[in-house]
Amino acid sequence: MAHFSYTFQVAHESRPDDPAIVTLGGQHTLADLHNAIQDAFNFDADHLYSFFMSGQLWDRATEYAAMRSASLHEKLAEKAHLRDLGLKVGQTFLYLFDYGDEHLFGVRVERITPLNRPRPDWAIEREPVSPPPQYEMWEDEEDSEDEAVDDLDVDEPEYPWGGDGSNLNEPVRAHVEAALVPTDAPYPPPVDQLLHLGDPRHQKDIEARIAALGFTQAHVPGLVRMARDRTLNTTWSDADDVWAPIHAMTALEGLDVSAVVPDLIPLFDVDSDWYGGSLARALGHVGAPALNPLSAYIHDRTRWNWGRASASEALAEVSKQHPELRDAAVQILTQELEHAEENDPTVNGSFLADLLDLKAVESLPVIRSALERDLIDESVAGDWEEVLHELGQEADPDDPLLKKPSFQPSWPLAFLEPGYRAPQPQPARPARSPAPPTPKKDGKAKQKQKRKAAEASRKANRAKKKRK
């Protein structure tokens, strides 16, 4: 087998003229490229990410993701070896890190070099001179805040429960408190083993390890209790047990949860990426018993926006696994767009995205009306032309809605332009390892990082752009 090294230039959208340059071997994966970029930009790899090989943001056909969402559209980055991607010198693609803060990077293939043997690790040939901060204002304030915390000897910060419901872009505290239930009872085996599995982000065999524990229907109540355990969900800690609710949800995906649907629905109120995807998959298996609870949640405009968007994705998953429920699911989502003025435009975009997934041609008049009134965020699922294309409909060139300016991405990636000259590489710095662990920090900064990691940026809660 021929061996090659691949050199990439990577620039953050906010500083396109200050890129990093990294080199990896052909046996490395896009997950390794993610780790190399994180190391070069001095980020903490504590969020989910995607690569879009077409260069189009949210192009699911060419997306390689850190984890699969409920739709299972994405291919996994950890299984995408560079040697198998057909990369060419000069090729460009996008890397999105953290679906909440949305750090967008442009990536260009600078060199492909033949080797006599596989390259053992990856290296950083150039670091950005002035990399952007991962978290706005945190980087500059961490030291002073940590000193203040130490000086005052205050308790750890409170879990961010959310607000009073006046801003539905954040969780509603009353709903979160109802979703996360205090419990002191011990967990019976094998449920208790989930307390020791630890961080799932760096365990490729985590699903197999959970399956090997042999969960049965008798364990469903204990798994639901663990998923909603208030202490496990809200404790600031690096201990393995804080990941147990996520593992419990993974275990529930393989079981019949029809009898506990009302107990699972409140988890949509919790700001957690991990729950969104697992809930959608678990409820998708259930079918009809999940339909009315999901409908009630989606129609409840006191719920936070991303919870409703995640429930919409779950509803679409139910209808995919149970085609006889497809018409009912389409009706529920179409009703929401009939009252689009009562929803956030981004949530309407999520409803539209799921209607497109369900090939809801019958909803076109309602979709058109909402788009004409600018009530749908077109960056989520596309404009009218893309809707028609997705649903296999012929566009009328004289349609005034087609002449409306469409959504355009705003990132100015100058280094992607022809003729741009890359900065000269610095002496290469070897990587920490092909798959470095998440760096750890002390004090208040570590607590912030842990919270951000646990959230995982709401990947499954955010409807994505569905472009072919």
Side-chain angles (χ1 to χ4, degrees):
M1 176 186 295
H3 304 292
F4 297 89
S5 69
Y6 295 81
T7 300
F8 301 93
Q9 185 182 168
V10 186
H12 190 274
E13 64 169 318
S14 67
R15 303 176 187 187
D17 56 350
D18 188 18
I21 299 177
V22 297
T23 297
L24 297 90
Q27 83 281 7
H28 289 129
T29 66
L30 287 175
D32 295 320
L33 177 57
H34 152 76
N35 285 319
I37 295 171
Q38 293 289 300
D39 194 12
F41 281 83
N42 196 29
F43 279 16
D44 288 339
D46 54 2
H47 296 280
L48 300 181
Y49 61 90
S50 287
F51 289 91
F52 301 94
M53 305 309 290
S54 67
Q56 295 293 320
L57 190 61
W58 300 131
D59 177 13
R60 294 187 123 166
T62 67
E63 179 180 11
Y64 289 87
M67 294 178 65
R68 286 193 175 99
S69 69
S71 66
L72 300 182
H73 281 246
E74 305 95 329
K75 298 174 281 290
L76 289 177
E78 67 182 24
K79 295 184 177 180
H81 296 275
L82 300 180
R83 64 189 174 215
D84 298 329
L85 295 176
L87 298 172
K88 306 292 183 184
V89 173
Q91 179 178 345
T92 59
F93 52 94
L94 295 178
Y95 163 63
L96 179 66
F97 171 67
D98 185 345
Y99 302 99
D101 289 339
E102 294 190 338
H103 287 284
L104 187 65
F105 299 79
V107 185
R108 185 169 70 186
V109 182
E110 289 293 307
R111 297 190 303 275
I112 300 177
T113 307
L115 303 173
N116 294 327
R117 60 180 64 87
R119 183 186 180 94
D121 55 17
W122 45 263
I124 298 170
E125 299 186 15
R126 182 186 191 274
E127 295 180 336
V129 175
S130 179
Q134 181 171 355
Y135 304 117
E136 284 297 332
M137 295 187 295
W138 288 11
E139 307 293 340
D140 295 336
E141 297 175 0
E142 278 178 357
D143 292 341
S144 60
E145 287 182 350
D146 287 343
E147 290 172 3
V149 170
D150 292 339
D151 291 343
L152 295 174
D153 193 26
V154 298
D155 294 333
E156 291 179 342
E158 184 185 13
Y159 177 83
W161 294 93
D164 60 4
S166 58
N167 176 13
L168 292 178
N169 284 317
E170 64 177 6
V172 179
R173 181 177 184 120
H175 295 157
V176 179
E177 289 179 337
L180 301 180
V181 181
T183 175
D184 295 325
Y187 290 99
V191 177
D192 62 342
Q193 296 303 304
L194 300 179
L195 296 167
H196 310 294
L197 291 185
D199 188 339
R201 293 169 299 160
H202 306 304
Q203 300 184 56
K204 296 182 180 181
D205 63 343
I206 191 67
E207 292 183 4
R209 294 178 64 190
I210 292 172
L213 294 174
F215 291 108
T216 68
Q217 287 301 120
H219 301 121
V220 167
L223 291 169
V224 172
R225 180 163 66 91
M226 178 174 282
R228 296 182 60 174
D229 187 313
R230 180 173 293 187
T231 298
L232 293 177
N233 276 282
T234 63
T235 299
W236 298 102
S237 173
D238 286 331
D240 287 344
D241 59 1
V242 298
W243 298 98
I246 295 166
H247 302 318
M249 281 306 310
T250 300
L252 287 168
E253 290 180 40
L255 300 170
D256 180 3
V257 298
S258 55
V260 294
V261 170
D263 297 314
L264 292 175
I265 292 291
L267 286 174
F268 285 120
D269 290 313
V270 180
D271 186 1
S272 171
D273 160 54
W274 307 87
Y275 289 159
S278 293
L279 273 172
R281 289 186 286 272
L283 295 175
H285 300 324
V286 167
L291 196 65
N292 287 336
L294 283 171
S295 175
Y297 188 95
I298 290 168
H299 290 325
D300 185 351
R301 293 184 176 83
T302 70
R303 304 289 172 173
W304 77 305
N305 289 331
W306 299 120
R308 295 176 68 208
S310 187
S312 172
E313 188 175 2
L315 181 65
E317 186 65 20
V318 167
S319 66
K320 289 176 191 175
Q321 297 193 38
H322 300 270
E324 71 278 8
L325 301 176
R326 181 262 183 196
D327 291 349
V330 168
Q331 182 179 8
I332 291 167
L333 297 179
T334 303
Q335 287 175 350
E336 279 304 313
L337 290 189
E338 287 175 343
H339 300 278
E341 68 280 355
E342 300 178 32
N343 299 321
D344 183 274
T346 306
V347 177
N348 287 332
S350 299
F351 297 147
L352 173 57
D354 292 315
L355 284 171
L356 297 182
D357 254 5
L358 298 176
K359 302 300 179 185
V361 177
E362 63 267 45
S363 302
L364 276 171
V366 174
I367 294 171
R368 180 186 179 96
S369 174
L371 285 170
E372 286 177 332
R373 291 179 290 157
D374 288 323
L375 297 176
I376 297 179
D377 182 348
E378 295 180 4
S379 70
V380 177
D383 57 17
W384 180 239
E385 182 178 9
E386 290 172 294
V387 167
L388 293 176
H389 175 75
E390 192 72 24
L391 297 180
Q393 303 298 298
E394 203 168 312
D396 179 356
D398 296 324
D399 187 338
L401 194 54
L402 293 179
K403 302 181 186 299
K404 175 184 170 183
S406 60
F407 165 77
Q408 295 293 331
S410 60
W411 53 90
L413 295 177
F415 84 96
L416 295 177
E417 299 297 326
Y420 181 82
R421 296 180 61 85
Q424 292 300 308
Q426 300 166 341
R429 176 165 65 85
R432 293 178 296 222
S433 69
T438 302
K440 296 189 178 295
K441 296 185 178 182
D442 294 325
K444 194 171 181 180
K446 180 167 68 176
Q447 295 160 354
K448 291 175 181 176
Q449 302 287 13
K450 178 60 185 175
R451 168 58 184 159
K452 297 291 283 187
E455 290 174 2
S457 313
R458 301 192 296 267
K459 173 178 165 60
N461 294 349
R462 296 192 66 173
K464 291 184 178 181
K465 199 163 190 177
K466 296 176 172 66
R467 288 180 172 174
K468 291 186 177 180

